[in-house]
Amino acid sequence: LNHAEQALHNSLPPFSPYVPASLLPSIALILLASTFVLAFYFSTLPKDTFPLRETAVASLASVLGGFGVVALFCSAGVNV
Amino acid sequence: MARRWWTLPLFLVSALAPSFSLAGPAFENTAIVRTIELGGSLVHVSTTYAVKALEPGQTTYQIALSKVERAKTSWLEAKVKGQTTPLKLSEDESSAEYLLSISLPKALAVNGTLNLVLETMQTHATHPFPEQAAQNEPQLLKYETDLFTISPYTTLVQRTKIKSIAPNVISYTTPHDVDSFVRDGSVTRSGGTITYGPYHDIQTDTDFVAKHQQSVSVHYSFDYPVIEVETLRRTAEISHWGSNLNIEDKAHLHNAGPTLKGHFSRLEYQSQNFQRKQAPHILSDFTLHLPPGVTNAYFYDQNGNVSTSHLRTAPSVAKGSKAVQYSVLQLRPRYPVLGGWNYSYTIGFDTPLQDSVSYDAKDGVYMVGVPVMTPIPGTVVNDAEVKIILPEGATNVKFVSPFPEISNSMSTHISYLDTAGRPAVTFTYKDLTYKHTGTIYVSYQVPLSAHLKKAVSVSAAFFSLFAFAFMARRVNLNLHKK
């Protein structure tokens, strides 16, 4: 009933992830360590009226943390 | 073309006539041989029709199945004998029977012959008799079928062979009132094979069926446990970030052999194991063949992890190539499953996503192939449901099943780090056998933004923590003014 789809599926190239699965634990470690360091740095920043530096550090830490948590989940076996 | 003046009008009349008794002289069966291989929950029937065309240009041959037989049949396939490609068939139901119309590969000329094979798999066709058996008693099953193979055309000679794997057949019915069709004996037995026939010059019209059709039964011994999987729930979850396909099966096994008479004696069970003469109706272990490249396999039931299992993995093969070696998983349920007992368990495993998913870069379309089930040898699955969970944000979902499903539906499945939820496609099937091992193909598209949604949602959570910290630093909680 699905011979055409089977032929198409066999002929197309296989899936390749953006990030190879074997690198995910190392990436998780690096990104989460960076998030931790940046969060600590955020806590030492002076309290300015225009919080440019605080926002910049917080945004960078959040982005790294977001990708780090996704990589952490995948390397722990919970493939999200 | 036609030698006799009445051939063409007769052909037109027979084309208009109702198909049961006057499918007419378009074909003649020179021989029909029906071979029934008896099993436990599965019975394999293979019927060979040696067909001779009486009219020119015939492209469709009709096979009849009685209503009772069609209800038991869960898989059928028609082929030309010796070839492997199945022929196209369509089904019609009339008041008395089912008619399968088979498209012949090429039109037959007058007096042209062809051998057609109809293979069917019957499920729930046997029942244990006696219905109860003690732990050390043999397992005896009974199978019933109609004596004559019905056909819309005249049959010159037909026979039915019923084969049991074990040579000891307890009893079989002797047909009555068949002397007009018989030249030698009406039934013979040779070891485990019982042959009904040969019966000559049969025309199975309504009068014949009312007068001569009868039910014959065979009472035989079966040396393997009769297992039915009452429900099977398969979930296949695709992860693009983890490059992983997780397949999880939740099964409820039922031993459909004779129910246990008396109580279960562990001593009796151990002594049987020691003497290597275990009773045939006890299921103590079974083997599954999983795809190559399996990792992270787990086997648990309601009580927790079941450690009595052994997995031998085979190395991963590329997508689409035929697997040379399968991963072998030997499972031993927590307790031996005796007649009438049930056992529920969950097994699951991970396979690399590149073995199952292909990517068409031109359209950005992914296609995944998920096997319908991993068959447990010799069992029937009464009710199966396959749910394929696609990544979050998958759109343009198209799917096709290898054989007709009872129903299909789309739903949303919510899992870890999801915001909107993942689309899931669910198929339901019934009465699956080892002949129903096919692959479901689902194609979908996932834009890059949907992939990044996960990381962005976690980032937003982190940022909200930082925003809270930002405000908390500026709040003075000192009790005394400095």
Side-chain angles (χ1 to χ4, degrees), chain B residues 365-368 390 395-399 441-445:
Chain B
V365 171
Y366 296 91
M367 193 189 270
V368 64
L390 305 171
T395 53
N396 201 14
V397 179
K398 297 202 225 5
F399 44 83
Y441 292 102
V442 181
S443 70
Y444 58 96
Q445 288 175 299

Side-chain angles (χ1 to χ4, degrees), chain B residues 33 204 244 255 281 355 385 460:
Chain B
V33 177
T204 52
N244 180 60
N255 187 330
H281 47 91
D355 294 348
E385 193 183 278

Side-chain angles (χ1 to χ4, degrees), chain A residues 2-76:
Chain A
N2 55 4
H3 295 298
E5 283 77 9
Q6 186 175 21
L8 179 64
H9 184 249
N10 289 347
S11 63
L12 286 172
F15 168 85
S16 62
Y18 298 130
V19 176
S22 50
L23 293 180
L24 282 172
S26 333
I27 291 175
L29 182 67
I30 296 170
L31 290 180
L32 289 177
S34 316
T35 309
F36 180 75
V37 165
L38 283 173
F40 177 69
Y41 179 54
F42 174 85
S43 68
T44 63
L45 286 174
K47 285 179 266 210
D48 300 329
T49 17
F50 296 107
L52 277 176
R53 215 158 173 200
E54 277 178 287
T55 327
V57 170
S59 314
L60 181 60
S62 306
V63 167
L64 292 181
F67 283 94
V69 165
V70 171
L72 176 71
F73 268 65
C74 290
S75 51

Side-chain angles (χ1 to χ4, degrees), chain A residues 1-2 5-6 8-10 12-15 18 24 43 45 47-48 51 54 61-63 65-66 78-80, chain B residues 239 242 244 319-320 353-354 356-359 366-367 400-402 416 439 441 448 451 459 462-463 466 470 473-474:
Chain A
L1 207 68
N2 55 4
E5 283 77 9
Q6 186 175 21
L8 179 64
H9 184 249
N10 289 347
L12 286 172
F15 168 85
Y18 298 130
L24 282 172
S43 68
L45 286 174
K47 285 179 266 210
D48 300 329
E54 277 178 287
S62 306
V63 167
V78 180
N79 289 294
V80 289
Chain B
S239 164
N244 180 60
K319 169 188 68 69
L353 199 60
Q354 47 263 36
S356 317
V357 171
S358 66
Y359 180 56
Y366 296 91
M367 193 189 270
V400 63
S401 169
Y416 300 102
T439 313
Y441 292 102
L448 178 64
H451 282 126
S459 302
F462 267 111
F463 194 77
F466 280 114
F470 172 85
R473 299 171 81 201
R474 285 156 175 77

